[in-house]
Amino acid sequence: MSHQAEFEKVAEDVKKVKTKPTDQELLDLYGLYKQAIVGDVNTDRPGMLDLKGKAKWDAWSSRKGMSKDEAMSAYITLGKEIISKYGM
């Protein structure tokens, strides 16, 4: 299985876990996913009333400078840990 195919499979599978992961785990997944797909953050930080948007933006921004391949590998690793932890 190619790296890209494995990434896409884990991205789908992680949505099917039995129990919702913690907010921090979800933010970590989100940041790595966006970094792997888009690269460095390319939007302005949401306004102060958008708490969820700011948390997601910060999670993505924290990965700035990480290559898409590194982000993809880290996402696969974290995704597999979450799937193992919460089950499918």
Side-chain angles (χ1 to χ4, degrees):
M1 183 182 301
S2 75
H3 199 60
Q4 179 72 34
E6 185 177 14
F7 172 77
E8 290 169 6
K9 181 176 182 341
V10 170
E12 279 303 309
D13 288 349
V14 83
K15 294 176 191 173
K16 300 172 188 167
V17 292
K18 290 178 184 172
T19 306
K20 183 182 177 212
T22 66
D23 287 345
Q24 188 57 55
E25 288 169 332
L26 291 172
L27 286 171
D28 289 342
L29 282 171
Y30 177 83
L32 289 168
Y33 184 85
K34 291 293 279 189
Q35 190 69 24
I37 298 297
V38 179
D40 287 343
V41 68
N42 59 1
T43 61
D44 293 332
R45 191 169 191 248
M48 65 185 220
L49 298 178
D50 184 1
L51 299 178
K52 184 177 180 180
K54 282 196 310 186
K56 290 170 75 174
W57 190 93
D58 289 345
W60 182 13
S61 181
S62 73
R63 309 296 180 177
K64 195 171 190 168
M66 181 183 262
S67 76
K68 289 184 177 186
D69 272 348
E70 287 175 312
M72 212 174 274
S73 292
Y75 183 94
I76 291 168
T77 301
L78 179 60
K80 285 180 176 180
E81 286 173 14
I82 289 172
I83 290 165
S84 171
K85 181 177 178 180
Y86 296 104
M88 280 184 42

